[in-house]
Amino acid sequence: MPAIFQTIYQELCQTLFRQSGFIAAVEPFLRKLIPAHRAGLYRARILSITPQAGCLRLRLKVSRLFPAFVAGQHLQLFVELNGRLLERTFSICSDVQRLSEQHELELAVQIQPQGRFTGALPGTLRPGMYVHLSRPVGDFCFMSQQPACLIGAGSGVTPLFSMLSSISRLTQPLTFIYSFRGKERLLFAAEWAALQAKFPLLQLVLWDSARQGRLTPERLLGELQPDLQAHFYLCGPRQFTADFSRALLNTGVAEAAIRSESFGVIAPSAGETQPVSLQLGQHSYPLGGHGSLLQRAEQTGVTVPYGCRRGVCMQCLCEKTSGVVRNLLTGELSDAGPGRIQLCISEAVSPVKVQSVEISA
Ligand code: FES
């Protein structure tokens, strides 16, 4: 929608409903009529829950309306816990055919026993229950058949597994390196042999770091000697992908031939909550709650656009007019002046004023 119409629309909704959009205004009534309704989300029924390698593998049945995804993409899983709808982002680990043919997909949710969300899932989720999903998003995708090297560490293997198992016929050599710590942490343990048998051109390296030592860029280049003409797909903790990307670039691999996805957002600090004012149209909202600015907007009942919730899609981009925020991906602090920030990965570390981008356009 052009910016001028967007602004008029927001103004109208603010004036009529005291909300930033029509959907936000009617949502409470819809929820009364249909308690399971969640605007913009898709319902999914849990078919099975399989604990494996410190994860819960959730097999989910989705409706025919659920959009197609590209292998490597991620989505948000929403679960109601203690009366509150909480969400986290997970990569889809099943293949694309399973969704199109059986309307099923699978997530491997790594359980953090102390985590507010994943720590509560083992005691909450049951087969037959419904959860909600966002649409799949993200541009960490397997592009085409070409010599490729996929390198994953820990639960970073999940999008790569989806990429590999979505290939129907391998026509180019593909190296798949999965680093995990100990046999009990090996995800998809039952599937690797079948994939190896299906793809003669697959060079599969299951690297047990408990037995073989940590997989470092030096050991990758020295011992495994991947084809440096290949396209590289890296997924794992932030430091892992940064180290491997740097090492590959230093050996002459083109930047365009390296795609990576990292996880591990810095936890918002537990200290004093800073005042935040969010301006939408002519209305200014003081944000309560805690966490990222997006979480605080939601906890206050203010609806703002968002997509991935992990700093990728830019849908939550806003204009910071003053104040200092911390980037929850990198830990960096902004300066105190104006600048564009993403609400989902920004935490206020001083009093902050933010406004939607359309207003300043
Ligand atoms: S919601 Fe995607 S960048 Fe913030």
Side-chain angles (χ1 to χ4, degrees):
M1 186 188 309
I4 179 69
F5 293 127
Q6 177 97 18
T7 306
I8 292 171
Y9 170 73
Q10 282 184 345
E11 289 291 327
L12 206 56
C13 289
Q14 290 291 354
T15 307
L16 294 175
F17 311 122
R18 297 259 178 236
Q19 289 285 355
S20 58
F22 179 72
I23 296 294
V26 299
E27 172 72 0
F29 302 105
L30 275 176
R31 292 274 296 281
K32 283 211 161 50
L33 284 175
I34 316 167
H37 171 79
R38 298 284 186 270
L41 301 181
Y42 300 86
R43 252 181 20 134
R45 184 161 54 87
I46 301 175
L47 294 176
S48 66
I49 304 172
T50 309
Q52 185 179 82
C55 295
L56 288 184
R57 290 182 62 172
L58 303 180
R59 195 159 64 87
L60 302 169
K61 188 83 173 176
V62 296
S63 83
R64 289 169 188 273
L65 297 176
F66 190 83
F69 73 97
V70 182
Q73 286 190 310
H74 53 263
L75 48 66
Q76 280 89 46
L77 168 68
F78 291 76
V79 179
E80 195 161 319
L81 295 170
N82 299 324
R84 291 183 56 196
L85 195 64
L86 299 182
E87 102 297 327
R88 293 293 182 273
T89 300
F90 300 99
S91 294
I92 301 170
C93 63
S94 50
D95 57 83
V96 296
Q97 296 85 352
R98 199 152 130 200
L99 178 66
S100 59
E101 292 165 9
Q102 301 166 43
H103 307 289
E104 280 184 25
L105 57 79
E106 189 172 326
L107 305 176
V109 176
Q110 186 168 32
I111 300 301
Q112 311 282 357
Q114 308 307 327
R116 190 160 65 113
F117 182 84
T118 63
L121 295 186
T124 303
L125 299 184
R126 296 282 176 270
M129 262 180 69
Y130 284 89
V131 292
H132 287 83
L133 305 175
S134 70
R135 62 170 42 246
V137 292
D139 56 6
F140 182 64
C141 306
F142 192 69
M143 297 314 287
S144 62
Q145 291 262 355
Q146 59 211 341
C149 181
L150 282 58
I151 308 175
S155 59
V157 74
T158 51
L160 305 178
F161 186 81
S162 174
M163 292 178 187
L164 178 61
S165 46
S166 295
I167 297 171
S168 42
R169 199 166 68 86
L170 200 54
T171 58
Q172 298 278 347
L174 187 146
T175 302
F176 194 109
I177 302 169
Y178 168 26
S179 170
F180 58 98
R181 175 163 286 279
K183 264 197 324 210
E184 62 287 352
R185 308 294 291 185
L186 174 67
L187 260 173
F188 313 117
E191 282 102 328
W192 294 115
L195 284 166
Q196 181 66 86
K198 179 180 172 187
F199 299 127
L201 288 175
L202 170 66
Q203 187 201 353
L204 178 62
V205 179
L206 298 179
W207 184 284
D208 182 353
S209 59
R211 206 168 39 82
Q212 297 167 272
R214 198 161 72 88
L215 179 63
T216 60
E218 296 71 30
R219 297 189 73 182
L220 168 77
L221 297 170
E223 296 175 35
L224 301 178
Q225 300 187 346
D227 175 6
L228 297 180
Q229 303 305 314
H231 284 242
F232 286 83
Y233 298 79
L234 312 173
C235 189
R238 203 157 296 285
Q239 196 62 51
F240 175 90
T241 55
D243 290 348
F244 279 72
S245 294
R246 197 176 319 110
L248 290 169
L249 289 170
N250 289 343
T251 58
V253 176
E255 198 173 341
I258 304 173
R259 304 173 78 87
S260 69
E261 180 146 279
S262 309
F263 50 79
V265 173
I266 299 163
S269 55
E272 190 188 335
T273 304
Q274 297 291 336
V276 174
S277 153
L278 173 62
Q279 190 170 356
L280 297 172
Q282 297 302 314
H283 298 270
S284 181
Y285 300 91
L287 300 189
H290 60 273
S292 71
L293 299 186
L294 176 59
Q295 289 170 321
R296 290 183 62 176
E298 291 173 335
Q299 288 162 20
T300 309
V302 181
T303 306
V304 290
Y306 72 86
C308 65
R309 307 180 74 92
R310 60 194 302 187
V312 176
C313 71
M314 307 299 277
Q315 286 190 46
C316 66
L317 194 70
C318 276
E319 187 77 24
K320 172 175 70 68
T321 51
S322 67
V324 179
V325 295
R326 188 162 72 121
N327 184 313
L328 292 172
L329 288 179
T330 64
E332 285 170 21
L333 296 179
S334 73
D335 58 33
R340 293 201 164 179
I341 59 168
Q342 292 150 275
L343 297 183
C344 66
I345 54 165
S346 299
E347 177 195 28
V349 295
S350 79
V352 167
K353 290 189 175 169
V354 197
Q355 62 183 29
S356 57
V357 167
E358 287 79 14
I359 294 167
S360 58

